[in-house]
Amino acid sequence: MPAAKILTPESHAATARLHAFYVLTKPRVNSLIVFCAIIGMFLAIPDGLPSPAIVLAATVGIACVAGAAAAMNCLIEAHIDARMTRTCGRPLPRGELTPRETFAFAGALGGSGLLILHQLVNPLTMWLTLATFVGYAVIYTIFLKPRTPQNIVIGGASGAMPPVLGWAAVSGEVSADALLLFLIIFAWTPPHFWSLALYRSADYARAGLPMLPVTHGSEFTRLSVLLYTCILFGVTLLPFATRMSGVPYLVAAITLGGCFLGRAWGLYVDYSDARARRTFRFSILYLFLLFAALLADHYLRF
């Protein structure tokens, strides 16, 4: 039998560093980003399937640039992350990586992703992805987040781009249907993130960030969550109204939207941190199931 491997201190340290770089990319967040981009790729083809080579290259490229944007966010906000319970365990506040290492990693990862998109997908997708990177890592992180409680609303534009990137990757254009997918995520972002901000408001106040619960209070934020969820419900019906999708999607959108509205109403009339936490977690599942329903409807429509 082969001898068992002995984990030396050096190999353990190398593994820990690799994991730290991995954490910089915010993999849980970016998995949803990549998922929405992939859905956009499949929806862009009226009949049949997109090219597997394009799907693979676009997925890798978008994932790399998204990871680089997350790493830059961690670099820019390292001093803020150190003051927040939710983020103080990230690699930079813990001293596991240096700012120089983080910057080099983000540059190499993002540059590689843009090169893949330009060479193996198309220039339009590369430029749109670069604009998304700038929107999140620069405009949102540096200018919006520390200055206005509407940071999530305005900055949500960059977070809503993944399905548009996927659509452009396989079609070479941005159609009205792609913009509908953008609009869904754009409307979803405020109730999703403000649910988190509600039960983390003390964290944001300690960090000096003007999140809505800090600047306008819990009740106003809860009302905003409810109103934006109503907007989201209406927006998710547009794919059916424009004949982009059919009855299966409509049923899913109404069902999921009703569940989200119920949670937003409960959050407004009977608040608790536990309820806000459950609403936040449901919002992630909601978006995943909604886009999965769009994909299923695309191939199973009746």
Side-chain angles (χ1 to χ4, degrees), residues 20 71 129 156 166 179 195 222 229 295 299:
T129 306
L179 294 179
S195 297
R222 283 150 39 207
T229 305
L295 181 63
Y299 290 105

Side-chain angles (χ1 to χ4, degrees), residues 9-257:
E10 292 77 12
S11 61
H12 184 274
T15 301
R17 282 178 60 79
L18 286 175
H19 183 262
F21 282 117
Y22 173 72
V23 171
L24 280 180
T25 65
K26 300 183 181 179
R28 286 189 297 179
V29 174
N30 284 336
S31 62
L32 188 60
I33 290 173
V34 172
F35 173 76
C36 292
I38 292 173
I39 296 298
M41 296 179 207
F42 282 86
L43 295 181
I45 303 298
D47 299 297
L49 300 171
S51 162
I54 293 295
V55 171
L56 177 61
T59 299
V60 173
I62 292 169
C64 286
V65 178
M72 284 300 298
N73 173 267
C74 289
L75 175 61
I76 295 167
E77 294 191 339
H79 64 293
I80 295 174
D81 288 346
R83 297 199 297 267
M84 297 181 63
T85 304
R86 185 174 70 91
T87 56
C88 63
R90 288 177 177 171
L92 282 165
R94 287 173 58 89
E96 297 173 346
L97 297 171
T98 68
R100 180 176 295 182
E101 289 171 332
T102 302
F103 183 79
F105 171 72
L109 188 63
S112 299
L114 292 173
L115 181 62
I116 289 170
L117 293 174
H118 186 274
Q119 297 298 113
L120 302 180
V121 183
N122 58 57
L124 174 61
T125 305
M126 186 274 288
W127 287 113
L128 288 174
T129 306
L130 176 60
T132 303
F133 173 91
V134 173
Y136 176 72
V138 179
I139 297 175
Y140 168 72
T141 302
I142 297 177
F143 296 104
L144 294 176
K145 190 172 181 179
R147 288 178 171 81
T148 171
Q150 292 300 311
N151 46 27
I152 293 302
V153 178
I154 304 169
S158 59
M161 283 297 291
V164 179
L165 303 180
W167 193 289
V170 301
S171 70
E173 63 179 12
V174 176
S175 70
D177 286 343
L179 294 179
L180 274 185
L181 301 178
F182 168 92
L183 191 59
I184 288 173
I185 301 181
F186 185 75
W188 166 85
T189 302
H192 161 69
F193 202 90
W194 283 335
S195 297
L196 167 69
L198 277 166
Y199 70 88
R200 293 291 189 180
S201 59
D203 243 4
Y204 287 115
R206 185 164 52 249
L209 292 174
M211 304 306 293
L212 198 64
V214 177
T215 60
H216 289 69
S218 174
E219 184 176 357
F220 183 87
T221 304
R222 283 150 39 207
L223 177 61
S224 298
V225 168
L226 178 59
L227 293 178
Y228 269 94
T229 305
C230 291
I231 293 171
L232 174 63
F233 185 90
V235 167
T236 58
L237 302 183
L238 292 178
F240 177 78
T242 61
R243 298 185 179 181
M244 175 185 176
S245 64
V247 173
Y249 167 75
L250 178 64
V251 172
I254 292 174
T255 302
L256 290 168

Side-chain angles (χ1 to χ4, degrees), residues 257-277:
C259 292
F260 205 162
L261 277 172
R263 290 175 181 271
W265 175 254
L267 194 66
Y268 178 64
V269 299
D270 185 24
Y271 177 79
S272 70
D273 283 353
R275 189 183 291 274
R277 187 177 291 105

